[in-house]
Amino acid sequence: MDTSESGTEPQPAAADEAKQTRRGWRRWAMDTRPLRIPAYRRLWSSTIVTAVGSQLTAVAVPKQIYDITGSSAWVGAASLAGLLPLIVFALWGGAIADSMDRRKLLLITNSGIAVTSVLFWLQAVAGLASVAVLMVLLAVQQAFWGLNAPARNASIARLVPKEQLAAASALGSTVLQTGQVVGPLLAGVLIPVIGLPELYLIDALALCVTVWAVHRLPSLPPLATTGTRRAGLREIAEGFRYIAAHKVLLLSFLADIIAMVFGMPRALFPQLASQTYAPYGEGLALGLLFAAIPIGAVVGGLFSGTFSRARRHGWMVIGAVVAWGAAIAGFGLSGSLWLAVVFLAAAGMADMVSMVFRGAILLSAATDEMRGRMQGVFTVVVAGGPRLADVLHGTAGSVFGARTAVAGGGLLVVAVMLSLAFAVPALRRYRV
């Protein structure tokens, strides 16, 4: 990789590795080597702010819709209203990210998201009380986010050396998971104090920090200079053909689909809280169940030094998905709330490992001219998998019972992942 393009400085590899060997407890802690690169540090720092700010809006929108309608069905409909734009624009955004300067695309899309947050704030201050307006704004916001995510993720490979991609992925994933824990808690504290409209305004101000950080990034134009770069249906289709031709990429997507569709039991959390764990207090049980997975993921990220230097990325993905399935099965078999929380936290740690190495594989195994499209598909898989899981687990829970559905799903994850890994060797053979 050209160090002038990436913003990194050339260093003697052997001497650098020897110098960076960590001793004692520090070798277990998060690998922060990518933060020594100014460009990546700016991108990562902006993520800290927006990870929390975006969760404020994620809480405010369903809260406002429920206040207007008094119906959870409308809250669910709003979630679906944002899904289609996200899917369409993530796929298209991946193609655009491969055809233009990614820094410029990030500036445009982050500015668009910020404007949308301001519009959310204005409608709340004006007291419009219109579900239709909220759903339109949510669709626009998700469209901008779909355009933004592929460019943001694909840019990382141009900012850090290949051997640090797993560490960079761990840093980014830890921040996002922390935002999922801190953001909703902060929203719950702030709504009674400053009111719901101001949550939108805080998110908009946080996005201004992101725009400033992206503005300071180096230019990230396409590396290939031959031919006209387009971003149409043909280019999107080329991305899918590229995935089909590179088994390790296809398997990395399938690994996430297997883990999330068969093993994400969040749709059954309310039923489990009201039935299995009711003696502990339904509200406490529900809060702990929803918080346990992201908390486990954050802990895994904080101790990512234990695994981020591994070179057998394929085996790390396989092991992490199997560990996720086993932990989910253990959760389904748990009659104790506290044991259930431990299993879910362990699942969150395994999911962090899976995220780190799937992200590193997508960045290292794909060429730069395809990275945007790979990240677009990745965004769709990450967004769509849990929603399919909600339908599957909700149905299975009604038919077989919640605990049976959860345990069965976890065991299915283990069986399918191991079968796929040994039937198709490309993933288990992949290493950096």
Side-chain angles (χ1 to χ4, degrees), residues 253-331:
F253 288 123
L254 289 176
D256 187 51
I257 291 171
I258 290 168
M260 290 297 104
V261 173
F262 296 139
M264 173 52 82
R266 67 183 184 185
L268 296 174
F269 287 170
Q271 183 180 348
L272 288 165
S274 66
Q275 295 177 2
T276 304
Y277 307 121
Y280 297 88
E282 185 175 347
L284 172 66
L286 187 61
L288 288 173
L289 292 179
F290 271 105
I293 291 178
I295 288 175
V298 171
V299 173
L302 293 176
F303 291 94
S304 58
T306 58
F307 57 81
S308 63
R309 287 176 169 79
R311 299 181 65 83
R312 295 184 179 274
H313 288 188
W315 270 115
M316 294 301 292
V317 171
I318 294 167
V321 172
V322 169
W324 161 273
I328 293 298
F331 161 58

Side-chain angles (χ1 to χ4, degrees), residues 36 49 102 111 113 117 127 141 148 162 172 190 200 222 240 247 300 325 371 420 432:
R36 299 171 186 171
V49 179
R102 288 170 186 158
S111 299
I113 298 171
S117 294
Q141 180 199 58
N148 177 275
K162 182 175 288 189
L190 290 177
Y200 297 124
F240 284 104
K247 288 183 179 179
R371 283 189 186 124
L420 183 64
V432 175

Side-chain angles (χ1 to χ4, degrees), residues 75-150:
V75 176
S79 178
L80 290 177
L83 179 60
L84 182 59
L86 172 62
I87 292 173
V88 171
F89 283 90
L91 294 176
W92 186 38
I96 296 174
D98 289 334
S99 65
M100 68 176 289
D101 188 321
R102 288 170 186 158
R103 172 181 169 273
K104 184 181 295 185
L105 180 58
L106 288 173
L107 284 171
I108 294 170
T109 53
N110 279 312
S111 299
I113 298 171
V115 169
T116 307
S117 294
V118 171
L119 293 176
F120 271 122
W121 173 62
L122 289 174
Q123 62 81 31
V125 170
L128 291 182
S130 171
V131 175
V133 170
L134 283 167
M135 292 177 75
V136 168
L137 289 176
L138 182 62
V140 173
Q141 180 199 58
Q142 291 299 294
F144 274 118
W145 192 82
L147 291 169
N148 177 275

Side-chain angles (χ1 to χ4, degrees), residues 8 22 27 53 88 138 157 173 188 206 216 252 260 267 290 375:
T8 63
R22 301 186 295 179
R27 68 191 295 258
V88 171
L138 182 62
S173 297
R216 298 195 63 196
S252 72
M260 290 297 104
F290 271 105
Q375 294 299 326

Side-chain angles (χ1 to χ4, degrees), residues 337-352:
L337 174 62
W338 305 112
L339 187 58
V341 168
V342 169
F343 275 118
L344 285 176
M349 293 181 192
D351 189 42
M352 171 60 72

Side-chain angles (χ1 to χ4, degrees), residues 112-420:
I113 298 171
V115 169
T116 307
S117 294
V118 171
L119 293 176
F120 271 122
W121 173 62
L122 289 174
Q123 62 81 31
V125 170
L128 291 182
S130 171
V131 175
V133 170
L134 283 167
M135 292 177 75
V136 168
L137 289 176
L138 182 62
V140 173
Q141 180 199 58
Q142 291 299 294
F144 274 118
W145 192 82
L147 291 169
N148 177 275
R152 186 181 190 88
N153 294 333
S155 298
I156 294 172
R158 297 278 293 278
L159 301 177
V160 303
K162 182 175 288 189
E163 65 272 12
Q164 294 182 22
L165 287 176
S169 181
L171 285 164
S173 297
T174 302
V175 165
L176 293 176
Q177 292 293 327
T178 302
Q180 290 184 20
V181 176
V182 175
L185 292 176
L186 187 60
V189 171
L190 290 177
I191 288 175
V193 178
I194 63 175
L196 187 145
E198 279 66 31
L199 296 187
Y200 297 124
L201 184 60
I202 293 173
D203 187 19
L205 294 174
L207 284 159
C208 293
V209 176
T210 301
V211 172
W212 173 80
V214 170
H215 176 71
R216 298 195 63 196
L217 291 178
S219 180
L220 298 168
L223 293 180
T225 56
T226 57
T228 302
R229 306 303 295 263
R230 299 175 62 252
L233 291 175
R234 179 182 297 178
E235 286 67 36
I236 295 173
E238 283 179 1
F240 284 104
R241 286 195 295 270
Y242 188 84
I243 293 171
H246 294 75
K247 288 183 179 179
V248 69
L249 295 174
L250 178 61
L251 291 171
S252 72
F253 288 123
L254 289 176
D256 187 51
I257 291 171
I258 290 168
M260 290 297 104
V261 173
F262 296 139
M264 173 52 82
R266 67 183 184 185
L268 296 174
F269 287 170
Q271 183 180 348
L272 288 165
S274 66
Q275 295 177 2
T276 304
Y277 307 121
Y280 297 88
E282 185 175 347
L284 172 66
L286 187 61
L288 288 173
L289 292 179
F290 271 105
I293 291 178
I295 288 175
V298 171
V299 173
L302 293 176
F303 291 94
S304 58
T306 58
F307 57 81
S308 63
R309 287 176 169 79
R311 299 181 65 83
R312 295 184 179 274
H313 288 188
W315 270 115
M316 294 301 292
V317 171
I318 294 167
V321 172
V322 169
W324 161 273
I328 293 298
F331 161 58
L333 297 173
S334 301
S336 163
L337 174 62
W338 305 112
L339 187 58
V341 168
V342 169
F343 275 118
L344 285 176
M349 293 181 192
D351 189 42
M352 171 60 72
V353 177
S354 174
M355 283 190 290
V356 166
F357 289 103
R358 283 185 292 107
I361 287 172
L362 286 180
L363 291 173
S364 61
T367 57
D368 186 73
E369 61 267 24
M370 283 290 176
R371 283 189 186 124
R373 278 164 281 189
M374 297 304 98
Q375 294 299 326
V377 176
F378 176 76
T379 301
V380 171
V381 169
V382 169
R387 287 175 171 86
L388 291 176
D390 290 344
V391 176
L392 180 63
H393 282 78
T395 304
S398 299
V399 175
F400 302 108
R403 291 179 65 187
T404 302
V406 173
L411 293 174
L412 194 58
V413 169
V414 175
V416 174
M417 188 68 245
L418 288 176
S419 299
L420 183 64

